[in-house]
Amino acid sequence: MAPSAEQSAATTTGRGRVRLRRAALMAVPACVTAGILVTLTAQNVLATQFAISGMAFEVTADRLDGSGFEQFGTLDNMIENSPNAGDTGGQLFLIQTVVKQASLTKLCQSVNLGGINLLITAGDKGTPVTADNLTTDSDLMSGDAEFKNLEVGRDASTFDKGGVAGPPGMFGQQGDTVAVDHFRQQNYATTAGTFRLPNMHLSFSGNGC
């Protein structure tokens, strides 16, 4: 999954409520080895919805609020002989995050195009960005996070909170709701049933998010 992140449990308030301070939302356990990935690929149980470019893009928001939250491992593929493949073999093992209903305040998204950034901002005039059936494939997520009714270590194929079932036997976590202040992701893919971006502004900039 690429970079790991330290997690520190702060307080537990009420039944099934967990707060993680300035921590990655999820780290794939060490038992997920290359051999397991090869097996999953051969069985075609890990598959992206489209060929990714292999270029990461940054997403930040002052706050994310969501209901129907799920996370589990996924394997994304680039096109054959992609110039961005490097030593990855054209495949990246990432964390897929599913949020059935999401709201993001002061959204920023940027991608470095080689010395200049394509920058998109939205939701910064009092009306947040909203998305239905939002999924992101990431290798880095951070922020001050709070989950309600969190289940960690559940088999991803049995998930029922976000409407998406992961691969059988895959480690994952799900919860009724998620709230993240100082939200940041490094993504390789995003999909949504509906994505509403009030006050959207697209520009080129010397700086990213």
Side-chain angles (χ1 to χ4, degrees), residues 21-23 25 59-64 105-106 141-145 179-185:
R21 285 295 186 186
R22 291 203 180 275
L25 295 185
V59 176
T60 65
D62 282 3
R63 182 177 174 87
L64 176 146
T105 303
K106 293 187 178 179
M141 304 181 69
S142 65
D144 297 333
V180 188
D181 289 318
H182 315 298
F183 178 71
R184 177 174 290 273
Q185 285 183 316

Side-chain angles (χ1 to χ4, degrees), residues 178-197:
V178 58
V180 188
D181 289 318
H182 315 298
F183 178 71
R184 177 174 290 273
Q185 285 183 316
Q186 180 168 283
N187 294 343
Y188 287 85
T190 297
T191 65
T194 305
F195 215 166
R196 306 172 188 87
L197 295 104

Side-chain angles (χ1 to χ4, degrees), residues 115-126:
I116 192 166
N117 293 276
L118 178 61
L119 186 71
I120 298 173
T121 59
D124 56 355
K125 296 293 185 181

Side-chain angles (χ1 to χ4, degrees), residues 57-177:
F57 55 97
E58 300 292 325
V59 176
T60 65
D62 282 3
R63 182 177 174 87
L64 176 146
D65 287 287
S67 60
F69 163 79
E70 300 176 355
Q71 281 185 325
F72 50 85
T74 190
L75 190 67
D76 283 1
N77 296 276
M78 303 175 209
I79 61 170
E80 188 175 356
N81 299 319
S82 170
N84 301 318
D87 59 0
T88 66
Q91 294 182 322
L92 292 175
F93 185 57
L94 303 169
I95 285 299
Q96 185 162 104
T97 302
V98 178
V99 182
K100 196 169 184 63
Q101 302 286 337
S103 171
L104 300 104
T105 303
K106 293 187 178 179
L107 174 73
C108 177
Q109 177 178 299
S110 64
V111 58
N112 190 319
L113 299 177
I116 192 166
N117 293 276
L118 178 61
L119 186 71
I120 298 173
T121 59
D124 56 355
K125 296 293 185 181
T127 304
V129 170
T130 58
D132 303 329
N133 301 315
L134 177 68
T135 68
T136 57
D137 294 0
S138 316
D139 65 0
L140 175 65
M141 304 181 69
S142 65
D144 297 333
E146 181 176 284
F147 306 92
K148 290 185 179 179
N149 297 325
L150 185 65
E151 300 172 346
V152 180
R154 181 167 170 169
D155 189 299
S157 68
T158 70
F159 281 179
D160 55 11
K161 301 290 187 181
V164 176
M170 177 57 68
F171 177 95
Q173 63 181 15
Q174 69 169 358
D176 286 345
T177 65

